[in-house]
Amino acid sequence: MNKIGVLTSGGDAPGMNAAIRAVVRKSIYEGLEVIGIKRGYAGVIESDFRVMNRGSVADIIHRGGTTLHSARCEEFRTEEGRKKAIEQLKYGGIEGLIVIGGDGSFKGAQLLSEESDIKVVGVPATIDNDIACTDYSIGYDTALNTVLDAINKIRDTATSHERTFVVETMGRHSGFLTLMSGLAGGAESILVPEIDFSLEEVCEKLNHGYDRGKLHSIILVAEGIEQDFASNNDVNESQAFAIAEEISKRTGFETRVTILGHLQRGGIPTARDRILGSRLGASAVDLLSEGETNKMVGVIHDEVKSFPIEESLIKSKDLDKDIYKLANILSL
């Protein structure tokens, strides 16, 4: 193998730049030419390629986002679109491809590997931390600390005004970010998609807290939860608003809502995400150099390992219910 490509796809995550840097510099160290592909799979189809050298990745390890940019690409979901992508990769002499992204990006990587002789390796990067076969994905730790910082600041104003705040975090169908930031931030209730909850119990906890003199609370809500209590709730509206309204109705407490949104994806990556990105990016180059394909790299018990991409897509990553139980006990 003489030439490899690297791209970032899907939602950006802090630490992606550390992974890009590691891919480029490890490849050059191994005598490989590296091509940076802009805007994910869309950039593959459009042949948005550029040769990368050591200087291309100077001063990026501390930056959030991705210097290669990212984009959704509906065309790549089609067989015809993937044929175009394969043609462009072959025309550019790219024999191996490293895909840095989440589960959607991994699905694309798997199809590309199965439909061509181009070798493909995935590097997990998503703040949701919902990819199986790795304890942590790039970006998760930074997002966790971003949410925690927000909780700390919100609690200051919640205390000052004696209010209950409902705070919504990202996570789609995954509650990892919500649970761990809720435990670290001392949230009074944590609502995640993986575990059924009773709003009545949430309100009872708030009332018990009030009875013992507690005048403010933080309710942390994952964006992917589903609840039927507010029949008049617009399906396009955040569940956090419906939950806040219902809590106010049932308890009489003044409530406010904060949607953290995309600020969770940004920011300077933590040391942990920089280290993780560096380790996984370099290991992905090793796999390609060894002729492996349709694989992903992950970290299990702080050891970098490789797994078939298919395994990461088929397996589910379960939330630790013991941690959820602990968070509930400590919030009483």
Side-chain angles (χ1 to χ4, degrees), residues 302-320:
D302 203 35
E303 183 178 353
V304 176
K305 296 180 178 292
S306 66
F307 301 88
I309 288 179
E310 183 180 16
E311 185 175 342
S312 73
L313 295 173
I314 292 175
K315 283 186 175 180
S316 61
K317 190 170 184 178
D318 297 328
L319 201 72
D320 191 329

Side-chain angles (χ1 to χ4, degrees), residues 267-286:
I268 297 171
T270 60
R272 186 170 194 169
D273 274 329
R274 298 183 201 190
I275 293 167
L276 182 62
S278 298
R279 294 178 71 190
L280 296 184
S283 295
V285 174
D286 287 337

Side-chain angles (χ1 to χ4, degrees), residues 249-268:
K249 286 180 181 178
R250 298 188 187 191
T251 64
F253 297 156
E254 188 176 2
T255 60
R256 293 290 186 273
V257 176
T258 299
I259 309 296
L260 297 182
H262 288 80
L263 70 85
Q264 294 161 93
R265 284 191 186 169
I268 297 171

Side-chain angles (χ1 to χ4, degrees), residues 212-225:
R212 61 182 175 83
K214 189 174 182 65
L215 301 177
H216 70 277
S217 295
I218 302 290
I219 312 298
L220 214 55
V221 178
E223 65 178 343
I225 65 165

Side-chain angles (χ1 to χ4, degrees), residues 39-321:
R39 297 179 296 105
Y41 292 120
V44 178
I45 292 174
E46 296 166 11
S47 190
D48 195 352
F49 302 163
R50 65 179 174 123
V51 176
M52 302 188 77
N53 53 38
R54 289 183 177 88
S56 302
V57 291
D59 296 325
I60 68 168
I61 194 170
H62 61 289
R63 300 182 186 278
T66 162
T67 59
L68 290 177
H69 306 295
S70 186
R72 309 288 182 183
C73 183
E74 291 300 321
E75 186 177 3
F76 189 80
R77 296 176 183 271
T78 67
E79 186 176 349
E80 186 60 32
R82 291 192 297 276
K83 283 182 180 179
K84 289 182 184 178
I86 293 167
E87 288 172 2
Q88 295 293 357
L89 289 170
K90 287 184 176 296
Y91 183 76
I94 297 173
E95 304 159 87
L97 182 66
I98 293 175
V99 175
I100 304 169
D103 56 353
S105 303
F106 276 22
K107 289 174 185 175
Q110 181 186 29
L111 289 170
L112 196 61
S113 176
E114 292 173 348
E115 296 173 5
S116 73
D117 59 358
I118 296 168
K119 300 186 184 306
V120 186
V121 173
V123 175
T126 167
I127 68 168
D128 297 345
N129 198 37
D130 58 352
I131 297 179
C133 302
T134 186
D135 291 338
Y136 300 102
S137 57
I138 297 166
Y140 170 64
D141 186 65
T142 305
L144 187 63
N145 282 279
T146 297
V147 175
L148 183 58
D149 182 59
I151 291 173
N152 292 339
K153 291 173 178 176
I154 290 168
R155 192 176 291 281
D156 288 343
T157 192
T159 303
S160 298
H161 292 275
E162 300 180 353
R163 288 172 177 158
T164 295
F165 269 78
V166 177
V167 181
E168 183 185 276
T169 65
M170 281 184 163
R172 292 183 302 172
H173 307 297
S174 168
F176 287 98
L177 186 62
T178 311
L179 173 58
M180 294 306 184
S181 58
L183 174 61
E188 279 66 31
S189 291
I190 302 170
L191 312 183
V192 294
E194 295 91 336
I195 300 176
D196 292 336
F197 67 90
S198 164
L199 198 64
E200 188 61 37
E201 291 179 3
V202 172
C203 292
E204 286 179 6
K205 183 185 285 188
L206 289 173
N207 283 321
H208 287 321
Y210 181 81
D211 290 341
R212 61 182 175 83
K214 189 174 182 65
L215 301 177
H216 70 277
S217 295
I218 302 290
I219 312 298
L220 214 55
V221 178
E223 65 178 343
I225 65 165
E226 296 181 4
Q227 188 72 354
D228 299 328
F229 57 82
S231 58
N232 62 338
N233 184 40
D234 186 336
V235 293
N236 294 317
E237 183 183 21
S238 165
Q239 285 281 0
F241 287 99
I243 288 171
E245 182 180 354
E246 196 68 18
I247 287 174
S248 184
K249 286 180 181 178
R250 298 188 187 191
T251 64
F253 297 156
E254 188 176 2
T255 60
R256 293 290 186 273
V257 176
T258 299
I259 309 296
L260 297 182
H262 288 80
L263 70 85
Q264 294 161 93
R265 284 191 186 169
I268 297 171
T270 60
R272 186 170 194 169
D273 274 329
R274 298 183 201 190
I275 293 167
L276 182 62
S278 298
R279 294 178 71 190
L280 296 184
S283 295
V285 174
D286 287 337
L287 283 182
L288 286 183
S289 298
E290 294 163 6
E292 296 285 353
T293 188
N294 212 358
K295 294 287 185 69
M296 66 158 282
V297 288
V299 60
I300 303 292
H301 303 308
D302 203 35
E303 183 178 353
V304 176
K305 296 180 178 292
S306 66
F307 301 88
I309 288 179
E310 183 180 16
E311 185 175 342
S312 73
L313 295 173
I314 292 175
K315 283 186 175 180
S316 61
K317 190 170 184 178
D318 297 328
L319 201 72
D320 191 329
K321 293 187 178 181

